[in-house]
């Protein structure tokens, strides 16, 4: 039986810092939900920025339990749940909802929004990527709504052939998001897949599917000059802005994109700049498609994709179709999260996902 109270890292009120409490209520699963005892939780940039910037418009109730990505063991299942059982190892993402948050010992989630962890993947690895993968796939494969460029997903007819041999350009391949943008582009057959990143990530990003890694420290003019040789003169049909905070890169990518091509940015909070690029392009009649990705399967237009993804994730991980992020484990469980958030804010996270072990919480 799960206890009735638990340790949780809460934000008591808007713009207050994290506070570790020991008497937070353990949520009860509804009929179609599961209760998960968390083993590992990962830190995303948004987790670091919410306590600093008052919820970023994403938080509707305070106190707020932070944390989006996690993995653990099913502790209880609702009366109607048949897809998972007590004792199963699973991973899932929360979504700005205290009951599903991962910076606590126990969380609930809908049974169709958890995936079993295959034997070749650790809890730490499984905790690393749900949000960042969702951010990529909702921006490219969601079938509806304004947040997707609607590429044909790889499980649909022609989804792995339609884009074969087309050039893709991914800005910020070293980010967690970028690593999944590369892997998804590889699944679809894009080639070449050119990415900007620090040169130290070259071998790893090539192992994920990048064909060329361009030093992200080069100037926009230098990157632009290098592209024709790297594409072999092919038009660039797809650009993914995986970093989302570099206007030079966004302008470069949007400009380099071929007419009719698809541009996805992960920064939906900076709409004006991208809108200006779109207007410029529309005036020229270029027909470039733009999506501002939002990493959630629960917003309108993304639900069907969520069902498809959760039906496939375990198999993809087991087969190595998707490779999780590399992991750096921080000490002290929930009490170590502030140190991780500080690293995020200082820009000290490099090619790794910061993870804590919940049971190490003092
Ligand atoms: N829209 C959404 O729903 C959504 C969801 C998740 C994330 N995001 C956004 O997506 C972005 C990436 O998130 P993440 O979790 O993947 O980040 P992350 O992995 O924590 O980012 C760290 C990486 O950023 C790289 N980096 C730093 N400055 C860069 C630059 N100017 N250009 C390219 N790469 C740079 C670093 O590269 P080095 O290793 O070379 O230092 C480092 O590896 C963030 O802006 C985040 O806020 C959006």
């Amino acid at each position: 039986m799960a206890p009735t109270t638990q340790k949780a890292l809460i934000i008591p009120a808007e713009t207050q810092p994290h506070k570790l409490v020991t008497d937070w209520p353990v949520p009860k699963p509804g009929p179609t939900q599961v209760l998960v005892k968390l083993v590992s939780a990962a830190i995303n940039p948004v987790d670091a920025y919410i306590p600093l910037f008052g919820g970023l418009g994403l938080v509707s109730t305070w106190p707020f339990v932070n944390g989006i990505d996690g993995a653990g063991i099913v502790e209880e299942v609702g009366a109607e749940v048949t897809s998972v059982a007590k004792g199963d190892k699973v991973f899932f993402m929360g979504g700005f909802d205290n009951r599903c948050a991962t910076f606590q010992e126990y969380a609930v989630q809908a049974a169709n929004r958890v995936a079993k962890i295959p034997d070749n993947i650790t809890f730490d690895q499984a905790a690393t990527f749900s949000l960042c993968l969702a951010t990529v796939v909702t921006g490219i494969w969601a079938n509806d709504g304004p947040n997707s460029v609607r590429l044909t997903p790889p499980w649909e007819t022609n989804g792995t052939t339609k884009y074969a041999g087309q050039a893709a350009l991914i800005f910020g391949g070293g980010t967690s998001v970028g690593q999944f943008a590369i892997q998804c582009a590889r699944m679809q057959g894009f080639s070449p897949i050119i990415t900007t990143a620090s040169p130290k990530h070259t071998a790893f990003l090539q192992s994920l599917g990048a064909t060329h890694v361009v030093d992200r420290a080069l100037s926009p003019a230098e990157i632009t000059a290098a592209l024709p040789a790297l594409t072999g003169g092919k038009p660039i049909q797809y650009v993914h802005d995986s970093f989302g905070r570099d206007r030079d890169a966004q302008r470069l990518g949007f400009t380099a994109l071929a007419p009719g091509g698809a541009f996805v940015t992960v920064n939906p909070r900076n709409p004006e700049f991208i809108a200006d690029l779109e207007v410029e392009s529309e005036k020229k009649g270029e027909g470039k498609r733009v999506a501002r990705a939002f990493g959630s399967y629960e917003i309108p237009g993304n639900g069907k994709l969520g069902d498809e993804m959760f039906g496939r994730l375990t198999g993809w991980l087991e087969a190595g179709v998707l490779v999780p992020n590399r992991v750096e484990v921080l000490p002290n469980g929930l009490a170590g999260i502030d140190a991780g958030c500080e690293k995020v804010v200082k820009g000290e996270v490099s090619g790794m996902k910061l993870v804590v072990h919940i049971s190490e919480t003092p």
Side-chain angles (χ1 to χ4, degrees):
M1 266 303 264
T4 54
T5 57
Q6 59 169 335
K7 294 172 188 168
L9 194 67
I10 68 163
I11 303 171
E14 207 168 348
T15 70
Q16 286 193 2
H18 283 135
K19 180 180 178 191
L20 183 59
V21 297
T22 56
D23 58 353
W24 194 253
V26 171
K28 292 231 169 298
T32 58
Q33 294 177 324
V34 298
L35 177 71
V36 179
K37 182 173 186 183
L38 281 144
V39 173
S40 305
I43 301 173
N44 282 288
V46 69
D47 305 321
Y49 290 113
I50 279 179
L52 292 179
F53 297 111
L56 299 172
L58 298 164
V59 177
S60 51
T61 53
W62 307 91
F64 174 69
V65 187
N66 212 351
I68 306 252
D69 279 336
I73 299 168
V74 174
E75 176 78 18
E76 274 177 51
V77 299
E80 294 168 25
V81 174
T82 54
S83 54
V84 284
K86 182 175 162 72
D88 282 346
K89 299 189 291 179
V90 296
F91 63 97
F92 65 98
M93 60 190 277
F96 312 110
D97 170 351
N98 286 353
R99 290 162 49 84
C100 312
T102 58
F103 294 172
Q104 57 187 341
E105 291 179 287
Y106 294 89
V108 294
Q109 186 47 282
N112 68 353
R113 291 291 185 264
V114 302
K116 290 185 191 169
I117 304 175
D119 289 342
N120 59 326
I121 301 293
T122 65
F123 283 113
D124 288 346
Q125 290 173 309
T128 58
F129 65 89
S130 292
L131 173 64
C132 289
L133 174 63
T135 303
V136 173
V137 299
T138 56
I140 56 175
W141 294 337
N143 58 316
D144 199 6
N147 303 91
S148 171
V149 290
R150 300 182 208 186
L151 303 184
T152 304
W155 54 85
E156 285 183 10
T157 309
N158 299 329
T160 56
T161 52
K162 189 171 175 180
Y163 309 103
Q166 294 189 5
L169 176 58
I170 295 167
F171 285 94
T175 64
S176 174
V177 170
Q179 293 170 33
F180 289 101
I182 291 168
Q183 295 184 73
C184 291
R186 186 208 64 224
M187 286 168 77
Q188 302 229 262
F190 280 100
S191 184
I193 299 172
I194 301 159
T195 190
T196 62
S198 290
K200 66 180 175 182
H201 299 313
T202 298
F204 177 62
L205 298 182
Q206 286 176 336
S207 77
L208 299 181
T211 55
H212 304 85
V213 178
V214 177
D215 188 347
R216 72 172 176 83
L218 293 180
S219 69
E222 288 169 311
I223 296 173
T224 302
L227 288 175
L230 301 180
T231 60
K234 286 182 194 173
I236 296 171
Q237 302 286 3
Y238 164 46
V239 172
H240 197 276
D241 168 33
S242 301
F243 180 65
R245 293 161 198 259
D246 180 344
R247 290 186 172 197
D248 285 342
Q250 289 168 335
R251 177 172 285 284
L252 193 174
F254 199 80
T255 307
L257 184 67
F263 180 92
V264 182
T265 178
V266 297
N267 191 346
R269 296 179 178 284
N270 180 18
E272 300 82 12
F273 182 67
I274 302 291
D276 287 348
L277 294 177
E278 273 184 285
V279 170
E280 272 176 46
S281 170
E282 271 164 25
K283 280 187 194 151
K284 295 182 206 155
E286 294 176 327
K288 297 180 183 179
R289 291 169 292 135
V290 174
R292 296 159 181 83
F294 188 73
S296 166
Y297 299 113
E298 311 315 321
I299 62 169
N302 292 358
K304 182 168 172 274
L305 175 66
D307 297 342
E308 297 282 359
M309 290 297 293
F310 277 93
R312 288 175 169 81
L313 280 172
T314 305
W316 279 355
L317 288 168
E318 196 164 25
V321 172
L322 279 185
V323 176
N325 294 146
R326 294 171 299 178
V327 169
E328 179 183 337
V329 178
L330 302 176
N332 302 322
L334 295 172
I337 285 174
D338 273 336
C341 289
E342 207 175 312
K343 276 172 159 266
V344 170
V345 172
K346 287 182 173 166
E348 292 172 357
V349 177
S350 179
M352 295 282 170
K353 201 76 179 179
L354 304 181
V355 168
V356 298
H357 294 161
I358 304 295
S359 66
E360 291 175 13
T361 307

